[in-house]
Amino acid sequence: MTSLPLIPVDPDAPGARRAAMPPQHLADLDLAGRKDLVTKLGESAFRARQISTHYFGRLVRDPAQMTDLPAVSRERLADQLLPRLLTPVRELACDDGATRKALWRLHDGALVESVLMGYPDRVTVCISSQAGCGMACPFCATGQAGLTRNLSTAEIVDQAVYLAGVAASGVVAGSPPRLSHVVFMGMGEPLANYNRVIAAIRRLVSPAPEGLGLSQRHITVSTVGLVPAIHRLASEDLSVTLALSLHAPDDELRDELVPVNQRWKVCEVLDAAWAYAARTGRRVSIEYAMIKDVNDQPWRADLLGRLLAGKLAHVNLIPLNPTPGSRWDASPKPVEREFVRRLRDAGVSTTVRDTRGREIDGACGQLAAAEDKGTDPAGEMSA
């Protein structure tokens, strides 16, 4: 069994490991904070709205393109409000360009990933909240890499702004040109970087020029089940969707697959999820990776059905995207279909996630692992 290291939920809590964070960026601040900083730099307060409109309203991240700002002001403001946070390492595409994955190097050399997925009715981006992850789930490439550090609010937001710009460019054929959905399902455990993730959500949902102006209901926050943080999230007056990475309905197996279960058992995690649903009125998404001969037995489907029957929940079964050399593999399709049937017979709404990006190391952490090893993933489109 894998033992989980004790990791503070709040990165600013006593005992939390300090890491070199990036320079301050305008996305770290609300509009009032930006105005205050701009005036301290000797500029008029309206410059904060002007530069924020470029970044959040027009999706312009390059100060050189903000030509309506005087050159002297532009240089001063760029130094203090628009430092470069994400340096592109690789950008890959598949599914005829509808799935695009970006690998970034941060200021300290850490690697993170984000993904854009275009559909006929929406554009969704999956973003990272940490470089690496400390949750140690053995079937997850990111979990096996360990935690490097938490991302800043702006490092989180900048991923979404960049990919929103990709969508707006029209290169994702057959999809709307506007980003509509954001899922915190990339690298890291979002609720272990709680304060910065909440600040990032508020930037994403605030109207331009303060933020991107997305619907709260189109934001999904995934967690392996940090119970105190789930209760805290319920008190934030946000209508985001909670996605619980359950992966096993019984404590014996979940202790192995999701080591945080050694601290908060299945019943405690589900009780926190139901409390969140009751407080927000939002249906909880139960994420369940289908792993061959591990968690896909019919009796586990029946047990999961009994746990979820009558609850405000939806099961999202995930065909496992195996990492190279892993002993874990995806469940066969007949087994997957039987699992779905049993859950639906129990009255539980169930779908199987669309398998996007397999040929571009689609599972979170795989592209970063390939870069660290100096290997070339298939499907590379641009560097």
Side-chain angles (χ1 to χ4, degrees):
M1 183 184 297
T2 304
S3 294
L4 183 73
L6 185 62
I7 299 173
V9 170
D10 187 337
D12 300 315
R17 183 163 62 93
R18 302 296 179 186
M21 298 302 287
Q24 183 173 257
H25 184 282
L26 71 84
D28 289 310
L29 305 168
D30 60 16
L31 190 56
R34 294 170 216 160
K35 289 180 178 178
D36 183 58
L37 179 57
V38 164
T39 55
K40 288 178 179 176
L41 294 173
E43 298 284 344
S44 299
F46 79 89
R47 296 291 185 202
R49 177 174 289 272
Q50 199 173 11
I51 197 169
S52 297
T53 297
H54 277 294
Y55 183 77
F56 283 114
R58 299 171 188 163
L59 308 176
V60 174
R61 299 164 65 249
D62 181 2
Q65 298 180 36
M66 302 178 184
T67 54
D68 58 338
L69 276 72
V72 174
S73 296
R74 186 165 65 240
E75 182 177 350
R76 183 183 298 123
L77 294 173
D79 285 345
Q80 296 297 316
L81 286 172
L82 288 171
R84 187 171 191 173
L85 300 178
L86 308 176
T87 299
V89 177
R90 290 179 177 175
E91 189 168 336
L92 314 177
C94 67
D95 302 320
D96 295 323
T99 303
R100 313 177 79 90
K101 186 165 190 176
L103 176 67
W104 308 101
R105 193 174 301 280
L106 307 181
H107 78 105
D108 56 357
L111 296 169
V112 296
E113 303 169 13
S114 42
V115 184
L116 179 150
M117 294 163 284
Y119 301 91
D121 61 338
R122 68 191 187 280
V123 173
T124 298
V125 300
C126 177
I127 58 177
S128 297
S129 55
Q130 295 179 311
C133 182
M135 297 295 106
C137 299
F139 58 90
C140 172
T142 307
Q144 291 308 290
L147 177 65
T148 300
R149 68 168 171 88
N150 289 319
L151 300 191
S152 70
T153 297
E155 285 174 322
I156 297 169
V157 172
D158 205 32
Q159 298 170 63
V161 172
Y162 170 81
L163 291 173
V166 171
S169 73
V171 300
V172 187
S175 297
R178 176 172 166 76
L179 171 65
S180 55
H181 292 68
V182 173
V183 296
F184 285 79
M185 293 183 178
M187 299 175 72
E189 162 57 53
L191 297 188
N193 188 13
Y194 188 90
N195 289 341
R196 296 180 184 113
V197 164
I198 294 300
I201 291 170
R202 297 198 187 281
R203 300 294 175 274
L204 294 174
V205 302
S206 296
E210 182 153 358
L212 272 179
L214 303 181
S215 167
Q216 291 187 25
R217 292 175 173 265
H218 290 172
I219 307 291
T220 298
V221 178
S222 177
T223 179
V224 294
L226 304 186
V227 168
I230 294 173
H231 288 305
R232 189 177 174 190
L233 180 64
S235 69
E236 293 286 353
D237 195 27
L238 290 169
S239 298
V240 301
T241 297
L242 177 71
L244 174 60
S245 296
L246 192 66
H247 304 313
D250 56 301
D251 287 323
E252 182 179 4
L253 179 58
R254 196 168 191 265
D255 280 351
E256 178 183 358
L257 295 182
V258 187
V260 76
N261 199 74
Q262 296 166 36
R263 197 179 315 168
W264 296 293
K265 297 302 184 181
V266 169
C267 62
E268 295 176 86
V269 173
L270 288 177
D271 283 348
W274 308 147
Y276 182 86
R279 179 74 177 264
T280 64
R282 302 288 292 149
R283 184 173 69 170
V284 175
S285 178
I286 303 296
E287 309 291 302
Y288 197 101
M290 293 291 289
I291 308 174
K292 181 181 178 181
D293 298 330
V294 174
N295 66 348
D296 58 359
Q297 298 86 353
W299 72 265
R300 282 197 163 95
D302 294 340
L303 175 56
L304 183 61
R306 292 194 296 272
L307 290 173
L308 303 185
K311 301 298 185 180
L312 192 60
H314 170 89
V315 173
N316 185 20
L317 294 181
I318 307 167
L320 186 72
N321 191 351
T323 58
S326 171
R327 67 183 177 93
W328 312 94
D329 203 356
S331 300
K333 286 300 177 183
V335 173
E336 180 185 280
R337 288 192 290 269
E338 176 65 9
F339 208 93
V340 171
R341 185 190 69 78
R342 287 173 178 267
L343 286 173
R344 289 176 176 170
D345 284 352
V348 178
S349 171
T350 306
T351 54
V352 178
R353 180 182 291 177
D354 182 22
T355 53
R356 290 287 194 99
R358 284 184 179 268
E359 60 267 48
I360 55 171
D361 289 325
C364 66
Q366 290 189 359
L367 192 56
E371 177 67 20
D372 276 339
K373 293 176 182 176
T375 58
D376 266 339
E380 184 164 352
M381 301 295 292
S382 61

